[in-house]
Amino acid sequence: MKRVKKKLFSDFIARKGLKSTRQRDTILEFFLASDRHMSIEELYLKVRAKHPNIGYATVYRTLKLFAEAGLAREIQFGDGQTRYEHVNEGEHHDHLVCTRCGTIVEFENPVIEKLQDEVAKSHGFLIETHKMELYGLCPKCRK
C-alpha cells in the first residue's frame, strides 16, 4: 500500500510540474508510518528528531500537497488544530473525540451508514460525502 501511495504522490508531483525531493519523500515516509491523526506540529517534531534540516514550513507545505493529491484528509475537531489522516480508497469511518484529553477513536458501523442512507433517501437527498464526529469523554477520562 505504501508503494502505491508513493507512486500516486510521485505522479501528482510530476503533473503539477514540481520537483521530487528527498525532503518530501522523507515526510511522506513519516506520514505513512503513522496511524494517528497528526497535526503539522506533531509530524514536524517526528521528522525533525531524525532529520533536523527539514523545517516546519516544508512539513506544512508538504502536508497540503498530500491533501491536494488525495493521500491525506484535513480534519478539524473544534479545538483550533488541523489534523491530517490517511485517505484509503473506498474506506469510510467516523470519529469519537474526547473533549478532555483529545483522544480520537475511529469507528465503522454499517447500521449507522444504512440509517444515514435511509434518512437521506426519505428526504430525496443523494449523499456525496459526510462526516460524523461524536464528542464526549473517553474511558480513561471518565475515571
Side-chain angles (χ1 to χ4, degrees):
M1 185 59 107
K2 281 186 184 181
R3 278 181 61 196
V4 170
K5 289 189 175 193
K6 288 178 183 180
K7 174 82 168 106
L8 287 171
F9 187 64
S10 175
D11 291 348
F12 171 79
I13 289 294
R15 281 194 312 275
K16 295 274 292 180
L18 299 171
K19 292 179 183 176
S20 179
T21 67
R22 183 172 299 289
Q23 289 184 333
R24 286 184 182 137
D25 293 342
T26 298
I27 295 165
L28 182 59
E29 280 286 331
F30 276 84
F31 178 71
L32 293 176
S34 172
D35 60 355
R36 299 184 57 234
H37 298 78
M38 297 186 69
S39 68
I40 296 165
E41 181 77 15
E42 289 169 324
L43 183 56
Y44 167 70
L45 292 174
K46 281 184 178 266
V47 170
R48 181 131 173 108
K50 291 199 175 184
H51 301 274
N53 61 323
I54 297 178
Y56 184 88
T58 302
V59 173
Y60 174 85
R61 287 190 305 270
T62 303
L63 271 172
K64 293 289 187 182
L65 286 173
F66 295 166
E68 194 178 330
L71 298 175
R73 179 180 304 113
E74 291 183 0
I75 307 176
Q76 305 237 351
F77 292 115
D79 61 359
Q81 192 167 51
T82 300
R83 291 183 180 79
Y84 292 81
E85 70 175 353
H86 297 223
V87 172
N88 295 313
E89 193 67 36
E91 176 194 279
H92 173 76
H93 61 264
D94 297 304
H95 299 95
L96 297 167
V97 182
C98 182
T99 55
R100 186 168 295 155
C101 71
T103 293
I104 301 165
V105 176
E106 295 180 353
F107 71 93
E108 297 176 35
N109 186 304
V111 175
I112 291 173
E113 296 300 315
K114 184 175 186 249
L115 182 58
Q116 289 172 148
D117 289 339
E118 290 171 4
V119 168
K121 185 177 178 182
S122 73
H123 291 279
F125 274 77
L126 173 63
I127 297 174
E128 293 177 347
T129 186
H130 79 279
K131 66 178 182 173
M132 181 187 310
E133 299 163 1
L134 303 173
Y135 295 86
L137 297 176
C138 70
K140 185 178 170 186
C141 289
R142 289 181 60 207
K143 289 182 182 179

